[in-house]
Amino acid sequence: MDTTTAQYKNFILVHQLKRRIRIIAPVLKKDQERGYIFEILLKKRPEIKRVCSTFALGSVVIEFDPGRLPKHNLLILIDAVLGNIAGKHGTVIGQKKAEVSGVTQEIDLAVEGMTCASCALLLEMILKRDPRVKRASVNFGTETLTVHGHVNKDDVCARVESLGYKAYSMDTLAQRKRMIEKEQLRIDAAWHRFLWSAVLSAPVVAIAMSMTSSRPLHWLQFLLATPVVFWSGKPFFVKAQRLAKHRAANMDTLIALGVGSAYIYSLPAFFRRKGHIYFEAAAAIITFVLLGRYLEERAKGKAGEAIRQLVDLQPQTATLIKGDQELIVDVETLQLDDILLIRPGEKIPADGEIIYGMSTVDEAMVTGESMPVVKETGHRVIGGCVNGSGVLRIRVTAIGMDTVLAGIVHMIDQAQSTKLPIQKQVDKISAVFVPVVMGISGLTFVAWMLAGAPFAFAFGNAVTVLLIACPCALGLATPAAIMVGTGQAAKKGIYIRNGESLEVAAKLNVIVFDKTGTITEGKPKVSDLLKLSRLSKDTIIMLAASAEHNSEHFLGKAIVGYAREQSIGINETCHFYSETGLGIAAEVDGKKLLLGNKAWMDEQHINVPGLLAAAGDFAGQGKTPVYMAVNGKEAAVFGIADKPKQQASLAIAKLHKLGIETLMVTGDTEKTARYIAAKVGIEQVIANAKPEQKLAIIQQLKAQGKQVGMIGDGINDAPALTAAHVGFAIGSGTDIAIESADLTLVQGDISKVADAIGLSTDTIHVIKQNLFWAFAYNTIAIPVAAMGRLNPMVASAAMALSSVSVIVNSLRLSKK
């Protein structure tokens, strides 16, 4: 991959591959209308295969044919299209110069060493102070951070490490795998640290409970407690010291203050043989906290099981064919167009196209398809899937973060690291939590002293306040539930791009369906053909198939497939033009062709009286009529049938049972749409809808105060998917639809929509339970500690277990 910061007039070229480029275009940033227009204009060029946009970032990935459209010409085309869009729609209001002065990067890193929600908030605060950083988000639950801005990865890592944390790249699945291995080592280390602490602390606590005044036993307490505090507890003191340099504090600060105070206060009393000693409290506090951290790490590991299973799908090595040699290489060294050998039973190392061989491939973990799929020369395979009994040779078509598996993992990452609106309110509380607790601790000490209590009693209560407080539970309440919820969704074949959709999906009361490829199978076939032209039937089919050969529409593919079934050849097309939602225009063998719906014929001023009756009959049978005109005159009409999906009726029934209103909005004819709708149980139908009308319908429903979900699969659905409160994309649909949606139904099983809504409802319930417990715990525990009703050891045990309880409660979602 070549990475460049080359800047054109209207965009910045960020990455370029042989067949794919990525640009940042500020004019598209957060502007869905401009983005949609840009995509449509580019998609009209047959040399451009795919256009995938992320409007929030102004990022666009374009896949093209360099043989038919050289990269230099493509860049000129993009610049002209963007300039045209900016000219038509005006300048971007409020756009800062900094946005176009350099490359806006998205940096995703794993963070090691965070111990509570305050750590995440501190990192966010420090990163946001950098003027080059536009947005920064740190998630304690997933231990990740995301930064958007004109800053490089090394600078972000350095800033993170200056605070005592460690940052790691997550650019490839291999790096993710190494992170997971490190996580297990960290869990093992946490266990050993706790175990040694427990072994040393047990005698110290036992001696204290015996209330003995034996000097040798007090010496034993001192000798055993000291390594617990300064070896087992060293990470708390180191972290607190580093934070203090930045005038910040977190949970480690509270623990360091509590333990340090107890230990230091005990030293004079121990050596002078006068006063109370707190060696057992200092040692027990460290032990209980370490136990809580260990249990928390283990529970978080279980919460991230879905990611781990996906990452484990990719093998570490591949068999590379170089001439007559077979070389075992690391998957990270693979390049585009490398030839790989896949033996029976092996995992496929990267996405590719089969160039030799035939086999079955198990795609269950990636696509949810339970049955192995037959693959042969020319078919695509997905990295991470398992080869069956045949031997395959594949040409690598995607590597690194461009693979399907990496995209799925990144999608789940994005969802899990998203902060829901409810979490943002919690963050505001957590940001002031530690300073407030320190203040309450100080007031507790002063109040008891003024009340005439002994110094030791007042001091003990102040330490207990420090130890009983737990911002960890608050910080984990939302991300822990999201981690488990999104992971469980992935296992069901529902990939969530946007974590906020988990919160919103539970409130949906209207679902809008597209028809073709969403409710129907998306595998239409030509069943009827009425010809009025003097041209032969084979010539009509040849002309229609040649024109539609450049189209990605389901109906166009059906006509091409019809020609191939009858062994009719396809000729070269000139001047191809596609109007989304209407039809196409093309020139084949000197003849000007139009194919599309009735609205397209009307727009092109073509009268089709001889075709109307047949088209009406086709529509009444649930078939879609496609009109054809040759040289400005009506020529033929195709009847194209597409059956409803087997699970469509069940899906609609499930939604109705949940009290959700359903609506079909399609560009198809009224008769065809109502026929299909009646088959699956949808009563409300809007037919002949153009893309802009679908968008308007979504906006109208939202204006009525309804919570709207949209399910679609095509380019014409992209604006509506983006505008809906929650967009559901069919996994077999276009990349633009998938990029525009919040959730992707991998196998196109629309019955999963009800599952997604149910899982969303369960996740929100768990989040509310977690937050209730976290707030209730701190609301009750801190005043009780201040009143002198708790022992410091009991306080530390309760604090350690409070955050664990939140994760354990979240893990209940994995049983759904």
Side-chain angles (χ1 to χ4, degrees):
M1 177 183 288
D2 180 24
T3 302
T4 177
T5 57
Q7 182 163 344
Y8 290 74
K9 183 178 178 182
N10 295 298
F11 71 91
I12 302 159
L13 177 60
V14 184
H15 295 302
Q16 53 182 313
L17 298 169
K18 186 176 179 181
R19 298 182 180 87
R20 184 180 301 162
I21 64 169
R22 177 171 175 253
I23 67 167
I24 299 292
V27 72
L28 303 180
K29 191 174 178 65
K30 293 185 179 179
D31 193 320
Q32 296 165 8
E33 183 183 358
R34 284 192 180 95
Y36 175 61
I37 293 170
F38 176 68
E39 289 174 352
I40 294 301
L41 291 174
L42 286 188
K43 289 288 288 186
K44 289 179 180 178
R45 295 292 298 258
E47 305 93 340
I48 294 176
K49 305 300 182 185
R50 292 179 182 174
V51 183
C52 304
S53 305
T54 305
F55 298 129
L57 306 177
S59 170
V60 184
V61 176
I62 302 165
E63 187 175 321
F64 65 104
D65 182 350
R68 300 171 65 190
L69 180 62
K71 185 186 72 178
H72 177 68
N73 294 350
L74 172 63
L75 298 178
I76 294 173
L77 171 66
I78 294 170
D79 211 30
V81 171
L82 288 171
N84 187 41
I85 290 173
K88 282 184 178 180
H89 296 269
T91 56
V92 182
I93 298 173
Q95 180 172 299
K96 298 177 181 178
K97 292 182 179 179
E99 288 188 358
V100 293
S101 63
V103 180
T104 300
Q105 296 192 69
E106 177 183 328
I107 299 171
D108 295 304
L109 296 171
V111 182
E112 182 183 318
M114 290 194 293
T115 53
C116 70
S118 300
C119 295
L121 293 170
L122 171 68
L123 280 170
E124 266 189 28
M125 179 184 69
I126 297 298
L127 290 170
K128 286 177 179 177
R129 286 177 182 172
D130 190 324
R132 298 170 298 172
V133 173
K134 301 171 76 173
R135 291 195 308 279
S137 175
V138 183
N139 191 300
F140 172 49
T142 58
E143 296 185 327
T144 57
L145 68 80
T146 301
V147 171
H148 297 273
H150 309 298
V151 59
N152 62 49
K153 187 176 295 183
D154 291 339
D155 289 344
V156 175
C157 289
R159 184 59 61 92
V160 169
E161 289 173 7
S162 72
L163 294 168
Y165 307 96
K166 291 184 179 179
Y168 301 98
S169 294
M170 299 192 299
D171 295 338
T172 66
L173 290 180
Q175 287 175 334
R176 289 297 302 263
K177 196 173 185 72
R178 287 195 288 270
M179 280 170 46
I180 290 170
E181 290 169 354
K182 277 187 178 181
E183 180 183 324
Q184 187 56 51
L185 291 174
R186 194 166 68 245
I187 292 173
D188 292 342
W191 168 251
H192 289 116
R193 190 175 288 272
F194 157 71
L195 193 61
W196 279 109
S197 180
V199 169
L200 295 173
S201 298
V204 179
V205 174
I207 292 169
M209 292 177 67
S210 70
M211 306 295 287
T212 182
S213 58
S214 170
R215 188 62 178 166
L217 290 179
H218 284 175
W219 267 101
L220 182 60
Q221 277 187 303
F222 168 70
L223 292 174
L224 293 176
T226 299
V228 172
V229 171
F230 293 105
W231 179 75
S232 298
K234 181 180 177 181
F236 303 115
F237 292 102
V238 171
K239 191 72 65 63
Q241 182 183 16
R242 285 178 175 166
L243 293 175
K245 290 179 180 178
H246 291 272
R247 296 181 181 179
N250 70 356
M251 193 67 210
D252 293 296
T253 306
L254 298 182
I255 295 167
L257 281 174
V259 172
S261 299
Y263 184 84
I264 292 170
Y265 174 78
S266 301
L267 289 178
F270 169 67
F271 287 112
R272 291 186 304 182
R273 303 185 185 183
K274 183 180 180 181
H276 192 78
I277 60 175
Y278 285 98
F279 289 133
E280 79 286 351
I285 289 165
I286 293 290
T287 302
F288 282 127
V289 172
L290 290 175
L291 174 61
R293 294 277 167 90
Y294 166 69
L295 294 174
E296 188 178 310
E297 288 289 346
R298 280 197 61 186
K300 282 164 67 178
K302 289 181 180 178
E305 189 65 30
I307 287 278
R308 184 178 292 103
Q309 289 178 359
L310 285 170
V311 171
D312 284 342
L313 288 179
Q314 188 187 55
Q316 297 300 294
T317 59
T319 304
L320 177 68
I321 304 295
K322 283 279 189 183
D324 296 330
Q325 291 184 307
E326 295 180 9
L327 306 174
I328 305 299
V329 299
D330 193 298
V331 290
E332 289 188 276
T333 65
L334 294 178
Q335 300 294 321
L336 290 176
D337 296 326
D338 278 349
I339 306 301
L340 304 181
L341 176 66
I342 317 294
R343 295 184 174 87
E346 289 185 341
K347 289 180 180 178
I348 298 168
D351 294 0
E353 180 181 344
I354 298 174
I355 59 173
Y356 172 81
M358 181 176 178
S359 183
T360 57
V361 176
D362 183 357
E363 299 181 336
M365 275 300 293
V366 176
T367 67
E369 179 62 58
S370 57
M371 295 296 292
V373 182
V374 176
K375 299 285 186 178
E376 57 187 350
T377 302
H379 286 184
R380 298 271 178 166
V381 290
I382 301 171
C385 297
V386 180
N387 184 28
S389 57
V391 176
L392 299 175
R393 287 195 181 193
I394 69 169
R395 177 177 57 82
V396 176
T397 57
I399 55 175
M401 293 306 291
D402 290 332
T403 64
V404 171
L405 185 58
I408 291 171
V409 171
H410 184 62
M411 192 185 297
I412 298 174
D413 272 338
Q414 286 182 317
Q416 292 186 345
S417 61
T418 301
K419 289 190 176 180
L420 305 191
I422 195 171
Q423 175 67 18
K424 292 171 184 175
Q425 299 301 317
V426 174
D427 283 349
K428 292 178 181 178
I429 297 170
S430 298
V432 298
F433 187 91
V434 173
V436 167
V437 169
M438 292 171 68
I440 294 173
S441 176
L443 288 174
T444 299
F445 177 77
V446 172
W448 278 110
M449 289 298 292
L450 291 175
F455 179 87
F457 183 76
F459 175 77
N461 291 339
V463 169
T464 303
V465 169
L466 291 174
L467 298 173
I468 196 68
C470 186
C472 303
L474 287 172
L476 282 169
T478 300
I482 291 176
M483 281 177 71
V484 182
T486 52
Q488 192 66 10
K491 290 180 181 178
K492 292 176 179 285
I494 306 165
Y495 292 120
I496 300 173
R497 288 172 53 84
N498 176 7
E500 287 190 20
S501 60
L502 263 181
E503 184 172 351
V504 180
K507 304 172 185 176
L508 295 180
N509 49 35
V510 178
I511 300 287
V512 177
F513 288 88
D514 175 44
K515 182 183 78 68
T516 306
T518 302
I519 289 178
T520 61
E521 291 179 349
K523 299 176 182 177
K525 291 189 175 183
V526 175
S527 58
D528 301 271
L529 171 59
L530 172 67
K531 178 182 74 70
L532 296 182
S533 172
R534 294 180 180 179
L535 297 171
S536 69
K537 180 181 177 181
D538 284 0
T539 301
I540 287 289
I541 295 171
M542 180 275 292
L543 292 173
S546 299
E548 292 285 10
H549 190 248
N550 290 312
S551 173
E552 290 192 359
H553 197 279
F554 291 107
L555 301 178
K557 290 180 179 179
I559 293 173
V560 173
Y562 185 55
R564 286 176 174 162
E565 285 174 7
Q566 301 187 46
S567 302
I568 296 175
I570 294 174
N571 293 353
E572 193 69 30
T573 305
C574 301
H575 312 302
F576 177 83
Y577 173 81
S578 174
E579 185 70 31
T580 302
L582 292 174
I584 65 165
E587 185 175 328
V588 179
D589 292 349
K591 295 180 175 61
K592 294 181 179 180
L593 309 177
L594 293 170
L595 287 103
N597 56 25
K598 179 65 166 51
W600 181 235
M601 295 294 132
D602 292 342
E603 188 173 301
Q604 300 299 315
H605 307 293
I606 306 294
N607 294 318
V608 289
L611 302 176
L612 290 177
D617 290 340
F618 295 160
Q621 299 167 31
K623 301 170 185 177
T624 301
V626 176
Y627 296 87
M628 179 178 178
V630 179
N631 292 330
K633 295 182 179 180
E634 60 177 344
V637 60
F638 293 84
I640 302 179
D642 189 11
K643 296 186 298 183
K645 292 178 178 177
Q646 288 185 352
Q647 71 275 20
S649 297
L650 175 63
I652 303 302
K654 279 185 176 181
L655 292 172
H656 288 169
K657 193 173 181 181
L658 292 172
I660 296 173
E661 181 183 349
T662 56
L663 174 68
M664 179 193 287
V665 180
T666 176
D668 217 331
T669 64
E670 182 84 22
K671 283 186 177 180
T672 304
R674 291 204 174 276
Y675 180 89
I676 297 296
K679 283 268 188 182
V680 299
I682 295 178
E683 295 181 0
Q684 298 184 65
V685 176
I686 298 176
N688 300 306
K690 295 180 181 180
E692 57 268 28
Q693 291 174 312
K694 290 186 178 184
L695 176 61
I697 289 165
I698 297 293
Q699 292 172 333
Q700 182 181 354
L701 289 169
K702 289 170 70 176
Q704 294 171 7
K706 296 182 177 180
Q707 296 291 312
V708 186
M710 167 72 191
I711 308 176
D713 69 318
I715 295 170
N716 58 331
D717 298 318
L721 286 168
T722 305
H725 289 108
V726 179
F728 300 84
I730 301 300
S732 56
T734 63
D735 284 354
I736 293 175
I738 293 171
E739 287 290 322
S740 303
D742 301 296
L743 294 90
T744 301
L745 311 175
V746 179
Q747 279 303 110
D749 183 355
I750 57 175
S751 65
K752 298 290 185 185
V753 173
D755 293 341
I757 292 171
L759 188 59
S760 167
T761 303
D762 292 338
T763 301
I764 296 304
H765 285 164
V766 168
I767 288 173
K768 289 179 178 178
Q769 289 167 2
N770 288 347
L771 288 173
F772 173 80
W773 161 248
F775 278 113
Y777 165 81
N778 285 293
T779 302
I780 295 169
I782 293 174
V784 170
M787 290 187 291
R789 301 293 183 180
L790 283 177
N791 180 282
M793 288 189 293
V794 175
S796 60
M799 181 274 293
L801 294 175
S802 63
S803 55
V804 177
S805 67
V806 165
I807 301 179
V808 171
N809 187 48
S810 300
L811 285 170
R812 292 191 302 111
L813 287 169
S814 63
K815 308 298 181 184
K816 300 294 183 181

